[in-house]
Amino acid sequence: MSALLRQIPANIPPDIRKIRIENSHLTELPRGSFENVSALEYLWLNFNNITVMHIKSLEYLAALKELRLQGNKLSSVPWTAFQDTPTLKILDLKHNRLDVLPEHALRYLPNLTYLDLSSNQLTIISRDVFYNWPVYQRSQSTEGPLESVSNAVLALHDNPWICDCRLRGFVQFIKSVGPPIILMNSYLTCSGPKFRTGKFFHEVELNSCMKPLTSALDTNLTVPAGLNITLTCFVQGSPSPAVWWTYALKLLRAFNVTTEPISEDTVRSELLIPAARPADAGNYTCTAANFLGNSSVAINLRVVAPWASTTPRGWAPVAPAEPGAHVEVRIAKQTVYGITLEWFAAAAAAAEPGETWYTLLLGRYDAAQKDTIYIGPGVNTYSVTDLLPATKYEVCVAVRNQAPRKGQCVVFVTGSDVSQMEQREKLIHIVVIVCAMVLAVPAGMYACTAEALP
């Protein structure tokens, strides 16, 4: 007891019938650990640090009746090792780290009268583990009187059981078990899923497992640009499946996805697309998977701009302009390769200023197509940092659902290099022939409407 042993002593007398080594420092049971003590009947190795048990560690122990390994660190047991101990009656494995019990685990323990697997890490067990146990098979046999079958005590409490469909057969077994199989503690409780935590086995009814089935209320969506869009899919499956979204074969970022259960076997998954743009259009796939298989559903998204993003000068509106909705634009800051715009909505009939969305159109002055950028409420500045030097550009800002008006577009030319800008103390040169209005810009700068000629 409490000896500093690192291994099983090699000089144990061969006629020893009982060995008890506890609170020592044993870490493993290697092959042939007891080959010289074939008379051994009782082996207690409680409260050591045993993590490994060799498949032939019990070889030569045909007379062994009792094996106690309580309070060690075993995460698995080589169950076929018990082929070498056919007379074993007591097996104590409580307070270990066992998390798996294979279906053949008890097949080689035909004479057990006590099996303690309590206080481990078991979450799921197939009922076949016990249906394959010779002790249970004898108890169910119709041949001979029941009194001839010895009682067997079974301890399975204090494990973190996950009460979903995978445990259904085991729960049914526990509910039906009776003499000669006796549960040391029949009040087994669920540790998960969350809505079943703390419930007793006899209080739950578990469904059969099912492969995921995915669906969506609408698989074809057409939405206006600039809105926050939420795509939703529903998934039925048991156990609860893992759900993820893909777009163009790429996995979408998890922080844009929320998945929550809405019933015992159904979850709802939502994908948020903030301020949708035409570039966001395409097929979004919701996929779900559990151990039985996987399923997916595709949602086709079409994003329609409030007006054509590429129009010649004149900006013919797609939607009628709202009376009085006017935006004043100015260049607040200049760099060699970019500008910072500021704008002010003098009047926006469509919404309160704090709710108004804007559209910014930017491109080379002679380009047939211009980039469209949607700006959310509460923002009135935008910076562009990747423009070409010595290049003529046009930029317009308008209230969403309107075409740009006079005074809402600025034509400018970026500087040719840094030194030139420093010398002139400016980074944007104005090329103007006709100016419809002059905006508040830095000294020596002029801003013109879209009516300015090249």
Side-chain angles (χ1 to χ4, degrees), residues 253-314:
R253 294 173 295 181
F255 58 76
N256 280 348
V257 178
T258 58
T259 301
E260 60 181 2
I262 57 176
S263 68
E264 182 175 340
D265 59 2
T266 303
V267 298
R268 177 178 58 224
S269 184
E270 296 181 335
L271 170 66
L272 173 64
I273 304 173
R277 302 169 298 167
D280 293 323
N283 285 328
Y284 292 80
T285 303
C286 172
T287 303
N290 62 18
F291 75 95
L292 290 175
N294 60 72
S295 175
S296 62
V297 60
I299 300 177
N300 180 264
L301 177 66
R302 182 169 176 259
V303 181
V304 180
W307 56 78
S309 61
T310 60
T311 57
R313 278 169 291 151

Side-chain angles (χ1 to χ4, degrees), residues 7 38 68 140 147 181 236 247 268 338 357 379 386 412 440 451:
Q7 59 186 10
S38 57
R68 294 185 181 271
Q140 300 301 303
E147 291 77 11
I181 307 296
Q236 287 182 293
Y247 173 68
R268 177 178 58 224
W357 284 70
V379 178
D386 56 354
F412 61 93
E451 294 179 341

Side-chain angles (χ1 to χ4, degrees), residues 97-110:
R97 300 175 181 177
L98 301 179
D99 57 3
V100 173
L101 208 60
E103 290 187 5
H104 69 271
L106 307 184
R107 188 174 298 171
Y108 306 108
L109 296 164

Side-chain angles (χ1 to χ4, degrees), residues 154 157 174-175 177 183-189 200-202:
L154 182 61
H157 53 279
I174 293 299
K175 289 180 178 180
V177 72
L183 287 177
M184 179 182 293
N185 183 345
S186 59
Y187 290 97
L188 303 188
T189 58
F200 295 118
F201 277 21
H202 65 264

Side-chain angles (χ1 to χ4, degrees), residues 351-433:
E352 294 296 325
E355 301 176 358
T356 302
W357 284 70
Y358 300 94
T359 300
L360 187 147
L361 299 125
L362 173 68
R364 296 177 61 157
Y365 184 75
D366 56 353
Q369 296 183 351
K370 292 184 170 56
D371 295 332
T372 303
I373 303 160
Y374 298 99
I375 309 296
V379 178
N380 67 339
T381 64
Y382 188 81
S383 296
V384 184
T385 59
D386 56 354
L387 300 179
L388 298 173
T391 304
K392 186 177 182 180
Y393 285 94
E394 183 177 38
V395 60
C396 299
V397 179
V399 175
R400 197 180 68 181
N401 296 327
Q402 293 186 11
R405 299 180 172 199
K406 294 180 180 181
Q408 296 179 198
C409 299
V410 176
V411 178
F412 61 93
V413 175
T414 53
S416 59
D417 56 49
V418 174
S419 60
Q420 179 186 19
M421 293 304 136
E422 291 175 346
Q423 292 169 3
R424 297 190 180 186
E425 297 181 352
K426 64 182 180 179
L427 302 177
I428 299 177
H429 308 284
I430 305 303
V431 178
V432 176
I433 294 180

